């Protein structure tokens, strides 16, 4: 599970699970219909793959089979971010932000939000160092 990376489709399915869990296959089909149009069999196959990856659990103890995520969204997002940074920016978050800034892809609000995040991170470093 440590190195598990989800495909784009798996992210969509997991987001539906994180929002609705535990849920049945029918609930997932309904939740994903507008965004994806996937059939019941497509979602079933994807669930089987996610079960094989130990990302999803299938509970067959009741009348209805229920699916529950075994991984949390935050952990998956961290792994995905690390993988993306490693593949695209050689692990450098600075290079990524430099690229975004160079393309003028950041709004003023996003820049302000990043400043706030960086200020808070810097304060956390100062606290950790006893300063």
């Amino acid at each position: 599970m440590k190195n598990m990376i989800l495909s784009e489709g798996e992210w969509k399915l997991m987001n539906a699970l994180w929002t609705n869990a535990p849920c049945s296959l029918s609930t997932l089909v309904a939740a994903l219909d507008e965004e994806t149009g996937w059939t019941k069999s497509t979602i079933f196959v994807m669930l089987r793959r996610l079960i094989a990856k130990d990302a999803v659990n299938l509970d067959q103890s009741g009348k209805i089979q229920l699916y529950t995520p075994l991984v949390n969204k935050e952990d998956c997002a961290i792994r995905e971010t690390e993988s993306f940074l490693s593949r695209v920016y050689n692990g450098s978050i600075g290079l990524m932000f430099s690229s975004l800034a160079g393309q003028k892809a950041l709004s003023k609000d996003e820049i302000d939000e990043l400043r706030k995040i960086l200020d808070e991170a810097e304060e956390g470093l100062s606290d950790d160092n006893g300063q």
Side-chain angles (χ1 to χ4, degrees), residues 78-89:
I78 289 168
R79 282 192 296 277
E80 188 74 28
T81 302
E82 290 170 349
S83 173
F84 170 77
L85 279 173
S86 177
R87 282 184 325 227
V88 179
Y89 294 102

Side-chain angles (χ1 to χ4, degrees), residues 1-20:
M1 186 165 56
K2 183 180 180 185
N3 295 321
M4 180 187 356
I5 299 296
L6 301 174
S7 70
E8 183 178 343
E10 289 170 338
W11 267 102
K12 289 177 183 179
L13 180 53
M14 290 300 294
N15 277 322
L17 269 174
W18 285 317
T19 301
N20 301 298

Side-chain angles (χ1 to χ4, degrees), residues 121-131:
E122 190 172 44
E123 287 173 19
L125 288 175
S126 297
D127 293 345
D128 290 345
N129 293 329
Q131 296 177 3

Side-chain angles (χ1 to χ4, degrees), residues 2-109:
K2 183 180 180 185
N3 295 321
M4 180 187 356
I5 299 296
L6 301 174
S7 70
E8 183 178 343
E10 289 170 338
W11 267 102
K12 289 177 183 179
L13 180 53
M14 290 300 294
N15 277 322
L17 269 174
W18 285 317
T19 301
N20 301 298
C23 59
S24 66
L25 179 57
S26 297
T27 301
L28 288 170
V29 171
L32 292 164
D33 184 51
E34 188 175 323
E35 180 183 4
T36 66
W38 292 338
T39 64
K40 193 175 200 174
S41 61
T42 298
I43 294 172
F44 182 75
V45 168
M46 291 179 71
L47 284 166
R48 284 283 169 230
R49 276 193 230 135
L50 289 165
I51 290 168
K53 287 183 173 184
D54 289 328
V56 171
N57 180 61
L58 169 59
D59 178 1
Q60 301 182 70
S61 63
K63 285 184 179 182
I64 299 173
Q65 296 179 338
L66 295 175
Y67 296 89
T68 307
L70 293 174
V71 294
N72 69 48
K73 188 174 186 174
E74 294 77 20
D75 289 343
C76 289
I78 289 168
R79 282 192 296 277
E80 188 74 28
T81 302
E82 290 170 349
S83 173
F84 170 77
L85 279 173
S86 177
R87 282 184 325 227
V88 179
Y89 294 102
N90 202 27
S92 171
I93 196 165
L95 229 115
M96 180 184 76
F97 284 119
S98 176
S99 174
L100 291 170
Q103 296 172 23
K104 309 234 184 296
L106 298 171
S107 70
K108 178 166 178 7
D109 287 343

